[in-house]
Amino acid sequence: MDRYVICGGERLSGQVKISGAKNAVLPILAGTLMTKNAVLKNVPNLSDVSYTVEILENLGMNITIENDKMNIINSGIVNTVLPTELCSKMRSSILLMGGMLASAGEVTIPYPGGCSLGSRPIDIHLKAVEKMGVEIAESSKGIYCKVRNLQGTKIKLPFPSVGATENIMLAGVLAKGETTISNCAIEPEIVDLAKFLNSIGAKISGAGTDTIVIKGVNELGGCCHRVIPDRIEAGTFMIAVAGAGGNVKIQDVIPEQLRPVISKLKEADVEVKEDENSVTVCSDGFIANTDIKTMPYPGFPTDMQAQFMGLMCGGLGTGIINETVFENRFMQVPEFIKMGADITIEGRCAVVKGVEKMKGAKVRATDLRAGAGLVITGLSAEGVTEITDIHYIDRGYENFDGKLRGIGADIIRINEQAVQ
Ligand code: UD1
């Protein structure tokens, strides 16, 4: 089990390059189940990507990786039971359902794992594919799904679930007739999935609006696709600079997709300059606390909530964070309190009273974004912060410590086995 050791107080400066988006590449990898071959570029080196590749290889696909380029050859699916151990590591394994139903006609999915953010049901996914002609049987081993007759239909989502929208898109591509998803998610990762699927021959329109229409086709080909940059990784670096102070150009981003984070940072008195493919954050490290309400895109992302909370811990004044997307996403709070934070939780709201100086402490990453929040806080805190369970952080940040060192942070990764 590795850990990070951070000496707080260094100002950050220079440039950092953002990797491809985790939440875009994972559904796209599920889409490759329907291709014969695909080349993906700008693929981030993350543990969630490695687990997904292992699952795809287990299903019979041939995948080679060279830097950020992935070559995928699919000569036919040889197995329809997804491996339990790998699926239990990430919730996004549920995304393989749509691709498997379309390509192999059946799939057994162990109950998905991943970061525990309260109860994360998959009822919307299951109801939707059932309506499209899929039989579902649940057992202690997982969920068995078999296509009776994959048929396009009209589906109205009760909540714009990102994963459910993606699963329905994947299943709809090779279904008979037209699938319409209304009240669907409009995240940039949905648009990127549609772009990938259309480039292999799908007929999807409306991605990025609240209604997506998929006209089923009989066959799909191959393609070469470049994954969009990770807006959450970019936002995390922006907040790191805001808290630690300094001047950093964050490159290879789509500024429009960072709008909610940019607006909140400006509200907190941080200077943000936008260019075509970069944003530059300039901060003296003093933050005016503000209120945050997480919402589906284009609202403030729930995946940035813990990092912004970390920033607010040492800010001026009081700010309220209202988490509307997940029911239990404040697991980082006891860890921040160990570092001197003044936070009280009232239901889905956290009241953060800024303290003069956060202090280094021994803390534990409780999930992916909570872990990133602790790193950010450690960078601006007084003294040494030690963060354990950083395997969560590896799920979503490529070479996090290396990139931070590149802009002047004092952070090292300690490999426990090497120490013993
Ligand atoms: C995706 C992202 C995750 C992000 C989240 C919200 C990926 C791989 N993960 O997760 O990083 O935090 O979007 O932006 O892209 N829900 C149900 N029933 C369902 C499905 C969802 O009740 O069948 C609820 C969830 O419990 C949650 C809310 O809907 O409260 C949002 O979930 P959803 O949009 O589906 O998130 P994910 O796709 O899991």
Side-chain angles (χ1 to χ4, degrees), residues 58-115:
N58 187 284
L59 299 175
M61 293 172 67
N62 194 317
I63 300 177
T64 49
I65 302 169
E66 204 190 316
N67 301 319
D68 66 351
K69 188 171 145 196
M70 196 181 269
N71 268 299
I72 300 162
I73 297 171
N74 181 0
S75 344
I77 307 296
V78 296
N79 176 13
T80 59
V81 181
L82 304 187
T84 307
E85 207 200 314
L86 287 166
C87 290
S88 66
K89 290 184 175 164
M90 17 163 236
R91 181 177 157 82
S92 62
S93 54
I94 186 67
L95 293 176
L96 298 167
M97 178 177 70
M100 281 297 285
L101 289 171
S103 59
E106 66 173 1
V107 62
T108 303
I109 314 160
Y111 290 105
C115 288

Side-chain angles (χ1 to χ4, degrees), residues 105-326:
E106 66 173 1
V107 62
T108 303
I109 314 160
Y111 290 105
C115 288
S116 155
L117 310 174
S119 86
R120 291 181 78 178
I122 49 171
D123 53 319
I124 306 177
H125 301 242
L126 298 182
K127 266 191 202 135
V129 293
E130 227 169 359
K131 204 173 171 206
M132 293 176 79
V134 173
E135 270 170 24
I136 294 172
E138 291 194 50
S139 75
S140 56
K141 286 193 185 135
I143 308 154
Y144 173 67
C145 311
K146 184 166 177 56
V147 167
R148 246 183 302 121
N149 175 25
L150 202 58
Q151 184 73 49
T153 182
K154 285 190 165 52
I155 298 164
K156 183 166 190 228
L157 300 183
F159 178 87
S161 155
V162 174
T165 302
E166 291 166 343
N167 246 332
I168 303 166
M169 286 165 75
L170 291 162
V173 165
L174 291 172
K176 286 195 195 75
E178 198 169 278
T179 305
T180 305
I181 325 169
S182 52
N183 193 34
C184 64
I186 62 170
E187 267 68 1
E189 293 76 19
I190 302 278
V191 179
D192 205 35
L193 175 62
K195 201 171 156 202
F196 165 78
L197 292 171
N198 282 341
S199 67
I200 58 172
K203 290 209 161 72
I204 302 175
S205 57
T209 75
D210 68 359
T211 305
I212 293 177
V213 179
I214 307 141
K215 289 197 170 107
V217 297
N218 293 326
E219 219 185 18
L220 297 166
C223 80
C224 177
H225 179 83
R226 186 181 159 84
V227 177
I228 54 166
D230 196 312
R231 63 194 166 98
I232 305 301
E233 186 198 8
T236 302
F237 275 95
M238 291 170 74
I239 294 178
V241 182
N247 189 325
V248 175
K249 186 173 187 180
I250 296 152
Q251 288 181 309
D252 269 18
V253 302
I254 302 173
E256 187 51 38
Q257 297 175 356
L258 296 167
R259 189 72 47 224
V261 179
I262 294 174
S263 309
K264 281 294 163 190
L265 282 177
K266 285 186 172 169
E267 234 177 272
D269 284 348
V270 177
E271 209 182 300
V272 184
K273 194 170 130 277
E274 294 175 41
D275 284 307
E276 205 183 330
N277 300 315
S278 69
V279 288
T280 302
V281 179
C282 182
S283 166
D284 57 9
F286 291 96
I287 303 300
N289 276 345
T290 173
D291 295 338
I292 299 278
K293 185 177 185 181
T294 65
M295 297 283 281
Y297 192 81
F300 190 87
T302 174
D303 285 352
M304 292 299 314
Q305 183 257 103
Q307 301 90 314
F308 216 92
M309 181 184 278
L311 180 66
M312 284 165 67
C313 287
L316 301 168
T318 299
I320 296 173
I321 299 179
N322 185 352
E323 172 58 61
T324 77
V325 180
F326 287 106

Side-chain angles (χ1 to χ4, degrees), residues 1-3 413-420:
M1 290 277 230
D2 290 4
R3 63 197 152 98
R413 183 181 184 118
I414 294 179
N415 181 296
E416 290 298 350
Q417 273 164 356
V419 170
Q420 282 160 10

